């Protein structure tokens, strides 16, 4: 009954139902349902394949199915950890293929962002382990995914700055070690081992190599002081000690050496000691000192001495009264050599 209006109206309503159902399936991203409905529509109305609207609808469905297939493959590659490699067979390649068909698809954009975020996380993990080159490689890979990702750009700059800093530190340490070996511990100013080690500590305050290098320099400077103390060249020792203080301040080593120098200087001063007084002539200092003397006209005195310079030295022996205010008698005393014992007498 080709002319039956009721039948024709029913068929029209059925086609409209299919079209509406297909659109609803598209909106809910139920492509399987959409494909089932399209196939049923085509089977029920074979001539509809010549309809331009149907053709556009079918093309849209085919494209959506292709996009979905790329997304599924991308997710499978993510599960296999094939994010950007091997070339042509990886998650990014599949997302890019899907994006070419559907540039505004949120699912695709989120997938690409997830790859970039994963590479960012891996870069940070390498950074934590101190693996600078691997971290930089990960940021570079991430920026190939999203070239303007702010987090990747910020980390890349930080890593590049760290790389430059580490290279500068390595250069300073190398130069410092070379200068140390040639004895240029603290001079020339600005170009010494000391200066290069300090340049390292400005960038890395806890650098163990730089601290060890400075400790070696201090020990070398201290050894120069000790050498001059041993040779009794105390003026030079003082100058060397001033250099230690200039560069290392009031360090423990400085204070210890300063005390050693002061003691050495004190020990080196000319000394008259172990005085012995007697009412009879003295021939040895190994006698007990009498508490009280029964003096006649002569006081006999003996002493030992050390650290005198020259072949002979003139001393003045002065006898004072008990108050220490009045001089009783004075006598010149000549001693020979740098050290020894000497005996003399004073007529009262």
């Amino acid at each position: 009954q080709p002319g039956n209006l009721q039948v024709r109206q029913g068929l029209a309503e059925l086609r409209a139902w299919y079209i509406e159902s297909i659109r609803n399936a598209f909106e809910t991203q139920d492509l399987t349902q959409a494909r089932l409905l399209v196939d049923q529509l085509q089977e029920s109305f074979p001539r509809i394949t010549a309809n331009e609207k149907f053709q556009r609808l079918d093309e849209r469905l085919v494209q959506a199915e292709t996009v979905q297939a790329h997304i599924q493959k991308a997710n499978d590659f993510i599960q296999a950890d094939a994010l950007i490699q091997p070339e042509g067979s990886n998650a990014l390649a599949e997302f890019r293929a899907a994006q070419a068909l559907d540039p505004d698809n949120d699912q695709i954009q989120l997938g690409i962002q997830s790859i970039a975020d994963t590479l960012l996380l891996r870069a940070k993990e390498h950074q934590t382990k101190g693996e600078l080159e691997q971290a930089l490689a990960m940021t570079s890979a991430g920026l190939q995914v999203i070239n303007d990702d702010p987090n990747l750009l910020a980390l890349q700059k930080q890593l590049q700055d760290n790389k430059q800093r580490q290279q500068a530190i390595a250069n300073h340490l190398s130069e410092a070690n070379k200068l140390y070996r040639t004895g240029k511990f603290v001079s020339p100013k600005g170009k010494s081992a000391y200066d290069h080690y300090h340049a390292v500590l400005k960038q890395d305050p806890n650098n163990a190599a730089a601290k060890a290098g400075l400790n070696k320099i201090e020990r070398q400077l201290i050894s120069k002081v000790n050498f001059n103390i041993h040779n009794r060249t105390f003026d030079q020792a003082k100058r060397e000690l001033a250099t230690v203080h200039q560069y290392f301040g009031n360090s423990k080593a400085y204070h210890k050496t300063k005390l050693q120098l002061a003691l050495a200087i004190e020990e080196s001063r000319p000394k008259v000691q172990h005085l012995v007084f007697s009412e009879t002539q003295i021939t040895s200092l190994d006698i007990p000192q009498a508490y009280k003397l029964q003096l006649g006209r002569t006081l006999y005195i003996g002493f030992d001495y050390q650290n005198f310079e020259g072949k002979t030295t003139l001393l003045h022996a002065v006898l004072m009264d008990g108050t220490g205010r009045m001089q009783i008698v004075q006598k010149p005393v000549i001693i020979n050599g740098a050290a020894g014992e000497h005996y003399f007498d004073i007529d009262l």
Side-chain angles (χ1 to χ4, degrees):
Q1 300 178 1
N4 190 310
L5 292 177
Q6 189 174 3
V7 172
R8 293 178 64 181
Q9 182 178 355
L11 290 173
E13 290 176 356
L14 181 59
R15 281 195 302 270
W17 178 85
Y18 271 114
I19 296 298
E20 183 64 22
S21 297
I22 292 169
R23 286 174 179 168
N24 289 337
F26 264 118
E27 289 178 2
T28 59
Q29 295 294 309
D30 190 350
L31 300 184
T32 302
Q33 180 67 13
R35 170 53 63 192
L36 176 63
L37 292 170
V38 166
D39 290 344
Q40 289 177 352
L41 174 62
Q42 188 174 358
E43 183 179 351
S44 300
F45 301 93
R47 288 188 296 179
I48 200 170
T49 56
N51 184 285
E52 290 185 3
K53 289 184 179 181
F54 175 80
Q55 291 172 355
R56 288 195 295 272
L57 182 64
D58 189 51
E59 289 172 359
R60 181 184 171 193
L61 178 57
V62 170
Q63 177 174 310
E65 288 172 331
T66 304
V67 168
Q68 191 60 44
H70 282 304
I71 292 174
Q72 183 57 51
K73 287 184 68 176
N75 289 330
D76 291 342
F77 279 129
I78 288 174
Q79 292 298 317
D81 198 28
L83 302 182
I84 57 176
Q85 292 292 335
E87 186 175 356
S89 297
N90 57 70
L92 181 62
E94 292 299 330
F95 279 131
R96 294 286 191 221
Q99 193 175 44
L101 297 172
D102 190 1
D104 299 323
N105 188 298
D106 291 340
Q107 189 178 3
I108 297 171
Q109 293 173 359
L110 288 173
I112 293 174
Q113 184 65 58
S114 73
I115 294 175
D117 291 342
T118 299
L119 295 173
L120 173 66
L121 179 61
R122 292 179 181 178
K124 289 182 176 179
E125 290 173 349
H126 284 299
Q127 181 188 30
T128 301
K129 296 176 182 178
E131 299 167 347
L132 188 58
E133 292 299 331
Q134 293 91 324
L136 277 169
M138 282 295 130
T139 59
S140 296
L143 289 170
Q144 290 177 9
V145 177
I146 302 178
N147 61 12
D148 60 350
D149 185 277
N151 294 323
L152 282 165
L153 288 171
L155 181 59
Q156 184 184 59
K157 184 178 186 307
Q158 181 185 352
L159 292 169
Q160 289 172 340
D161 290 344
N162 287 345
K163 183 178 180 179
Q164 292 177 357
R165 183 172 64 89
Q166 288 187 5
Q167 186 59 54
I169 287 174
N171 292 340
H172 279 302
L173 287 175
S174 175
E175 187 65 17
N177 293 335
K178 182 173 69 175
L179 291 168
Y180 178 86
R181 289 192 296 271
T182 59
K184 296 178 180 178
F185 304 131
V186 294
S187 63
K189 187 175 182 180
K191 297 181 180 179
S192 67
Y194 177 91
D195 295 308
H196 283 285
Y197 284 133
H198 258 281
V200 171
L201 292 179
K202 285 182 179 179
Q203 299 186 64
D204 182 8
N206 296 317
N207 189 280
K211 287 183 176 181
L214 289 174
N215 287 336
K216 289 195 301 181
I217 290 175
E218 185 179 24
R219 288 196 296 271
Q220 288 289 346
L221 297 180
I222 292 292
S223 71
K224 291 184 178 182
V225 181
N226 291 331
F227 175 80
N228 284 285
I229 291 175
H230 177 76
N231 290 336
R232 300 171 68 86
T233 50
F234 297 121
D235 288 341
Q236 183 62 30
K238 290 178 182 178
R239 287 190 287 270
E240 298 291 356
L241 186 62
T243 300
V244 176
H245 186 263
Q246 177 183 351
Y247 289 96
F248 294 96
N250 296 316
S251 68
K252 290 183 179 179
Y254 167 78
H255 277 294
K256 180 180 178 181
T257 309
K258 181 181 179 182
L259 178 60
Q260 290 173 340
L261 176 57
L263 291 173
I265 292 173
E266 183 60 31
E267 287 293 325
S268 71
R269 297 186 190 280
K271 293 182 177 64
V272 172
Q273 53 191 13
H274 196 181
L275 283 162
V276 176
F277 300 92
S278 177
E279 56 196 30
T280 59
Q281 190 171 1
I282 302 174
T283 58
S284 172
L285 299 179
D286 295 329
I287 58 173
Q289 175 62 60
Y291 178 73
K292 187 176 181 180
L293 299 176
Q294 296 293 331
L295 293 176
R297 299 288 299 174
T298 305
L299 173 63
Y300 297 92
I301 304 171
F303 63 88
D304 67 14
Y305 60 92
Q306 60 184 9
N307 300 329
F308 281 84
E309 298 179 358
K311 293 182 179 180
T312 61
T313 303
L314 175 62
L315 302 176
H316 292 280
V318 180
L319 182 63
M320 307 294 291
D321 70 353
T323 67
R325 298 174 183 175
M326 181 179 295
Q327 177 177 309
I328 299 174
V329 66
Q330 174 179 304
K331 182 176 182 177
V333 178
I334 297 175
I335 60 175
N336 298 313
E341 295 181 356
H342 188 78
Y343 308 99
F344 70 101
D345 57 61
I346 294 178
D347 291 331
L348 303 174

